[in-house]
């Protein structure tokens, strides 16, 4: 078994519709950290899903729902830590305000 530490989501600003930020391919991915920073001068909300292979974002795979972030706030998404994404599973997310929230995630890919 081989473990590779990697940036799962290299800093990206979220849009207002759900987008795929990362898909685990040919391996399991264990999330070690997921942070969201509000880089704007206004409050914004963050919603994130851990979507199994072949599934779509839904209440059943929602990690966090409309988590409010004040202007300038950084949120460490504790519910993400330790989650395992099987091959084909993805991290998907969106913001209530375009280009206000920057997301970054790190983890381990195990083959």
């Amino acid at each position: 078994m081989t473990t590779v530490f990697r940036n799962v989501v290299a800093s990206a600003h979220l849009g207002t519709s759900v987008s795929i930020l990362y898909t685990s391919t040919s391996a399991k991915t264990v999330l070690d950290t997921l942070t969201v920073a509000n880089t704007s001068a206004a409050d914004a909300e963050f919603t994130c899903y851990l979507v199994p292979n072949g599934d779509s974002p839904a209440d059943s795979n929602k990690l966090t729902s409309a988590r409010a972030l004040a202007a300038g706030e950084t949120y460490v998404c504790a519910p993400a830590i330790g989650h395992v994404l099987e091959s084909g599973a993805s991290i998907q997310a969106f913001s209530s305000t375009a280009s206000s929230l920057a997301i970054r995630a790190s983890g381990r890919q195990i083959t």
Side-chain angles (χ1 to χ4, degrees), residues 28-53:
K28 290 183 179 183
T29 302
V30 179
L31 296 178
D32 292 326
T33 188
L34 189 150
T35 57
V36 181
N38 186 343
T39 60
S40 74
D43 295 351
E45 294 178 344
F46 164 70
T47 299
C48 184
Y49 304 86
L50 299 182
V51 182
N53 186 23

Side-chain angles (χ1 to χ4, degrees), residues 1-8 22 24-32 106-111:
M1 185 166 30
T2 303
T3 302
V4 177
F5 293 88
R6 60 180 294 149
N7 286 326
V8 175
Y22 172 77
S24 184
T25 55
S26 304
K28 290 183 179 183
T29 302
V30 179
L31 296 178
D32 292 326
S106 299
R108 293 165 279 152
Q109 199 168 46
I110 302 167
T111 55

Side-chain angles (χ1 to χ4, degrees), residues 23-24 50-56 85-90:
T23 301
S24 184
L50 299 182
V51 182
N53 186 23
D55 209 345
S56 299
L85 299 173
E86 299 291 337
S87 182
S90 61

